[in-house]
């Protein structure tokens, strides 16, 4: 007997499974906040890029076996970024959430502290900026102003600089790349594996063992 699965049923089943996992993340999963309060000086092109990164981040999270619960803070429904997000993301308005007052950790490449683990009792914050508009230490200074703890991805601990033609080395990643690393680490508990997923060699870094 050949059993065939109804595509509609399987899609519906997968959707309900995804929704179930996301709701579980709301109650018991790790939490990530995207801080969108620094977008006022960004161009329309940069805002479109940021909206695209948010879309990819949400897409990755929906596919994850152990998703995060994600908050968006610091922007308004009359902003160009909100319009871009609505245009690019189906059902975007249902993503919005109020941020609970809990223990915060702002993830910024300028922090002195390397992130050691993903703690379910912490809320991790990513600054909504894109490469073209990055001003040095913006997210770090904002965290300090609000007395928020900071941490950086442990790129320096597990990766080394590799030679490239432009002698270019950067630890600044798009928000969806940072999320992919956090998500991979949460699933595997393995930083080298997670960093390999999100840090491309174009950034000028490779895993330590790959150059030995």
């Amino acid at each position: 007997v050949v059993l065939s699965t109804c595509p509609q049923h399987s899609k519906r089943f997968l959707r309900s499974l995804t929704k179930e996992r996301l709701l579980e993340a709301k109650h018991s999963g790790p939490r990530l906040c995207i801080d969108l309060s620094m977008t006022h000086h960004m161009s329309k092109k940069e805002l479109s890029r940021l909206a695209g990164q948010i879309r990819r981040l949400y897409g990755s999270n929906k596919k994850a076996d152990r998703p995060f619960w994600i908050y968006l803070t610091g922007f308004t429904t009359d902003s160009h970024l909100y319009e871009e997000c609505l245009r690019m993301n189906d059902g975007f308005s249902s993503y919005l959430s109020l941020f609970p007052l809990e223990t915060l950790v702002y993830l910024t490449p300028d922090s002195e502290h390397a992130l050691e683990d993903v703690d379910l009792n912490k809320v991790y914050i990513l600054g909504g900026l894109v490469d073209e508009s990055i001003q040095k230490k913006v997210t770090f200074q904002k965290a300090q102003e609000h007395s928020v703890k900071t941490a950086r991805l442990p790129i320096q601990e597990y990766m080394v600089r590799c030679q490239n033609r432009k002698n270019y080395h950067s630890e600044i990643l798009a928000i969806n790349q940072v999320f992919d690393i956090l998500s991979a680490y949460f699933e595997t508990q393995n930083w080298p594996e997670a960093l390999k997923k999100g840090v491309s060699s174009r950034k000028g870094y490779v895993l330590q063992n790959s150059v030995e």
Side-chain angles (χ1 to χ4, degrees), residues 109-120:
D110 300 303
S111 177
E112 293 175 9
H113 311 288
L115 186 66
E116 293 178 11
D117 199 5
V118 172
D119 185 341
L120 295 176

Side-chain angles (χ1 to χ4, degrees), residues 13 15 34 49 65 68 94 103 128 137 149 152-153 157 174-175 197:
F13 174 73
R15 271 202 301 271
I34 303 166
R49 281 187 58 200
D65 288 335
F68 282 58
S94 63
T103 309
K137 296 197 172 181
K149 289 177 183 173
R152 58 175 169 76
L153 292 174
E157 282 70 21
I175 56 172
K197 187 170 180 180

